Amino acid sequence: MREITLSQAVNEALAEEMRRDERVFIIGEDVAEAGTPFKVLAGLVEEFGTGRVVDTPIAEPGFMGIAVGAAMTGTRPVVDLMFGDFIYLIMDQLCNQAAKTHYMSGGKLNVPLVLRTNLGATRRSAAQHSQSLQALVAHIPGLKVAMPSSAYEAKGLMKTAIRDDNPVVIFEDKLMYQDKAPVPEEEYLIPFGEANIKREGTDITLIGTSSMVQVAEKAAEILAREGIEAEVIDPRTIVPLDEATLLKSVRKTSRAIVIDEGHQSYGVTAEIASRINEKAFYHLDAPVLRMGAMDVPVPFSPALEDVTVPTPEGVAENARRLMSGEMIHAA
Amino acid sequence: MPHDVTMPQLGMAQDAGKIVSWLKAPGDPVAEGDALFEVETDKATMEVEAQAAGFLSGVTAAAGEDVPVGQVIARITEEAEDDSAPPEPSAPSAPSAPQSSGGDDLPEGIEVTMPQLGMAQDSGLLVAWHKSPGDAVQADDVLFEVETDKSTMEVPAGADGYLAATLAEAGEDVPVGNAVAVISAEAPSNPVTRSAAAAKAPAPKAEPEQAEKPTERETRQKPASKPAPKTAPANSANGRILASPKARKMALDQGLDLNRLVEAGHPQPYHVADLEVLKSLPTKSAQTNAVQTRHLTAEIPADGFADFARWAADTAGLSDQNALLAGLAAACLPTGTGTVRVEALGQSHSYAVMPGPLSTIQPAEPDRPADLILRDLRFSRITSVHLGAEPAPVLTLARNGDALAITLECAGDHLTASDALTLLSEFAGRMEQPLRHLL
């Protein structure tokens, strides 16, 4: 199978959906001629014109509001938010308007909008351009949240998001845009709420989101050399969450570590760990561990930044501790 | 008045210190606070200071010598050239830690005492406990922190086991040598928590014999009962067992008792893997039944044994009636064999009974533990007994008119109920018609 980058996969998904459905358009900063700073949208304006690849001023609340209104009135906008950190700027449009319109209109209005943005540290972009804020939006009822872990997921999830009649936020890891993965030429969609078992194992379940799936897979390789068989699961969408697959795995392995690049406290890891705790308690032989980013603003210093996020070695070390029966947190 | 210089106790487990070097020579004038000598223990080397001003004399230990803690090794006298004889090596002046706590109502175990951390120190301030009553401890674990006028020091437990009693609270001043904690071998059912103020006046000076006697007597009075911790470990306030939910659930489903892992000293928290250890522990039934006593009585209308014994003596030359009784009784044991002690008319005879003819019964060494005791009271006026369990099951024969009453008493872990019933009914049958035995 051919291999393409995550950036190309997103580009293909958008192009295919824009060809399929003329209601689909792109709106955001530097999306047209510039093709975004990450060149994800390169070539789209040439094919679809500035009427469907719309450059905006640097005014996130403005173009987000325009997109929400456009979605309510019959189009299917794909909003390009240059950095996930800018979500703070569009919170009202996203959380108070887009997320609640269907509910508050008694089902008369839909907001079939996709918010494309990114996450991920270690790009030396400092505290305001390195955050992973998926927990903020996953908290809001009415928003779906997809977190592709490779080019394959990026394309399949994007096409499903565009066809969804309600708002979807997709977080792409900005460090993965150039990562290649096998992607079929023929069309495919990845349904929401279906986790992917990336690697089967019997001893411990590693649940990772986005690039943390790769971290988990590398940790599993380290552990396999030590005789520990880790199962790696990618939920692919955290809203909706495929609980059944996660719980089935934990019932098998009795142990779990949840890894996500958002801050650890009150984060995605906490939510998933908590559900495992509630629904698989009597199958647990060890506490469910969360591994998120440190609860600090992401440092600009490369040396410091690198230690704030989960690493394969760190995941493997925690897995060993769980396997050994060590007292994880003495009272 | 001369001031004695003694070997200080620098650690809990320390019972002797090695004098590395003397820093003063006999006859030297010393000021209070001068370093007198250097001591090495297994943990550290420390300079010991003079606690009084005067002149060093009467040095009885040379550099390189190992000296028991508390032993007087020199004196500081008021005048130089003091001719007083060097002190004989004396018993330690500081009370050494007793190995077991007798009397009182403290759990049994090893006492941990307030260490002497300096020459002039007569008490230590207990700053903080690092373990809670009921906690499992290892010898190296820090048990508590002590502050003296010089330093704060962590005191290790000194023994593996469980913290069964704390006898002082954080913030209390405890005299050197007084017990501060008790480390028990088994998980305590009711860990004791006391303050030093509330504790009775310490009795470290008590003669060891006095301290031991009550315990001994108690043990004799209740030979069959086990120490309390074994019967109700789960009821203690601090008896919460740390186990994973899965291990707990599997233990429940499989009827396994996690308390037994605690009793076995297996370190917590428990995981599924520890259940394998639990399964491999010896069966619990012996312990839970230990406090039960079985008491069964059978009565047969006539004693058929006397005729049988006469017949056996005449025809087979088996003239030892006690051996015959032992043979009949041992055959009724679940194993059909064993050591039987026959007690009759103030005498006691032990027999080794193997399966086979009565002629093969051999006398056993008197000190060999009996599997069964047969007490023959047929020739006494006693008609029935209720004596309680003894180290082995006891069959008592008593005459009741023409009838013969046979009583079996044993602890619950000696014989199962059904084995006890079988033993007694079989033995009664054999006593009624001894010839049955030969069939």
Side-chain angles (χ1 to χ4, degrees), chain A residues 229-242:
Chain A
E229 291 305 325
E231 182 146 298
V232 177
I233 300 186
D234 172 13
R236 300 203 283 206
T237 54
I238 56 171
V239 182
L241 181 67
D242 182 1

Side-chain angles (χ1 to χ4, degrees), chain A residues 292-305:
Chain A
M294 275 183 194
D295 292 327
V296 294
V298 179
F300 175 62
S301 152
L304 293 179
E305 184 178 26

Side-chain angles (χ1 to χ4, degrees), chain B residues 53-375:
Chain B
F55 297 87
L56 186 64
S57 70
V59 175
T60 57
E65 268 185 50
D66 264 315
V67 180
V69 165
Q71 183 167 312
V72 177
I73 53 173
R75 281 182 178 167
I76 295 173
T77 53
E78 284 160 21
E79 291 169 21
E81 306 298 323
D82 189 320
D83 280 331
S84 63
E88 292 294 315
S90 64
S93 60
S96 58
Q99 284 308 293
S100 72
S101 63
D104 209 354
D105 51 350
L106 287 179
E108 282 187 35
I110 296 164
E111 283 189 358
V112 182
T113 56
M114 177 59 67
Q116 187 173 30
L117 302 169
M119 286 301 289
Q121 181 205 346
D122 50 12
S123 69
L125 175 69
L126 205 157
V127 177
W129 283 101
H130 284 222
K131 297 281 178 186
S132 304
D135 280 0
V137 296
Q138 305 212 314
D140 295 340
D141 286 352
V142 173
L143 197 59
F144 56 91
E145 259 181 78
V146 175
E147 184 183 292
T148 67
D149 52 351
K150 297 230 175 88
S151 63
T152 302
M153 184 175 147
E154 293 178 336
V155 179
D160 290 356
Y162 295 85
L163 182 53
T166 60
L167 306 176
E169 292 172 355
E172 285 194 300
D173 228 16
V174 181
V176 167
N178 272 20
V180 177
V182 176
I183 308 284
S184 63
E186 289 168 348
S189 62
N190 285 304
V192 173
T193 306
R194 282 191 198 160
S195 70
K200 282 186 236 159
K205 308 273 196 293
E207 295 293 319
E209 283 166 30
Q210 288 174 349
E212 275 171 29
K213 267 180 184 166
T215 327
E216 231 173 71
R217 197 177 302 134
E218 201 171 68
T219 314
R220 284 204 197 101
Q221 281 169 349
K222 301 176 184 171
S225 72
K226 301 272 179 179
K230 289 211 163 182
T231 59
N235 298 336
S236 68
N238 288 316
R240 176 90 183 149
I241 296 170
L242 300 179
S244 82
K246 186 173 187 179
R248 219 177 263 286
K249 173 129 192 335
M250 286 178 69
L252 192 68
D253 291 345
Q254 297 174 24
L256 299 168
D257 182 3
L258 293 173
N259 280 305
R260 299 184 51 224
L261 279 175
V262 179
E263 288 165 9
H266 196 63
Q268 300 182 37
Y270 300 140
H271 298 86
V272 172
D274 297 308
L275 297 182
E276 294 307 313
V277 178
L278 175 51
K279 285 178 197 163
S280 70
L281 291 175
T283 175
K284 167 83 177 184
S285 60
Q287 293 177 4
T288 48
N289 294 338
V291 291
Q292 300 171 12
T293 304
R294 305 196 196 286
H295 183 105
L296 301 77
T297 305
E299 195 164 290
I300 52 177
D303 180 357
F305 182 77
D307 291 338
F308 173 76
R310 219 170 291 127
W311 174 81
D314 292 344
T315 61
L318 299 173
S319 56
D320 185 348
Q321 292 200 12
N322 290 330
L324 295 176
L325 279 174
L328 297 189
C332 306
L333 283 168
T335 52
T337 172
T339 303
V340 180
R341 191 167 80 227
V342 181
E343 299 175 355
L345 300 171
Q347 293 196 320
S348 172
H349 305 276
S350 284
Y351 298 94
V353 185
M354 303 300 289
L358 291 170
S359 56
T360 62
I361 296 170
Q362 296 294 320
E365 284 133 29
D367 55 353
R368 186 168 166 163
D371 299 306
L372 183 66
I373 298 166
L374 202 153
R375 200 165 282 148

Side-chain angles (χ1 to χ4, degrees), chain A residues 254 281-286 325 327, chain B residues 242 244-247 249 269 271-272:
Chain A
S254 309
F281 183 75
Y282 298 104
H283 299 270
L284 291 175
D285 204 22
M327 176 84 80
Chain B
L242 300 179
S244 82
K246 186 173 187 179
K249 173 129 192 335
H271 298 86
V272 172

Side-chain angles (χ1 to χ4, degrees), chain B residues 6-20 37-49 67-70 94 113-121 146 148 150-156 176:
Chain B
T6 60
M7 174 60 66
Q9 187 176 28
L10 302 170
M12 285 303 292
Q14 183 207 344
D15 49 15
K18 182 182 183 176
I19 298 176
V20 180
F37 59 96
E38 258 186 327
V39 176
E40 183 186 307
T41 69
D42 54 348
K43 297 233 172 87
T45 302
M46 184 175 146
E47 287 184 359
V48 178
E49 296 172 358
V67 180
V69 165
T113 56
M114 177 59 67
Q116 187 173 30
L117 302 169
M119 286 301 289
Q121 181 205 346
V146 175
T148 67
K150 297 230 175 88
S151 63
T152 302
M153 184 175 147
E154 293 178 336
V155 179
V176 167

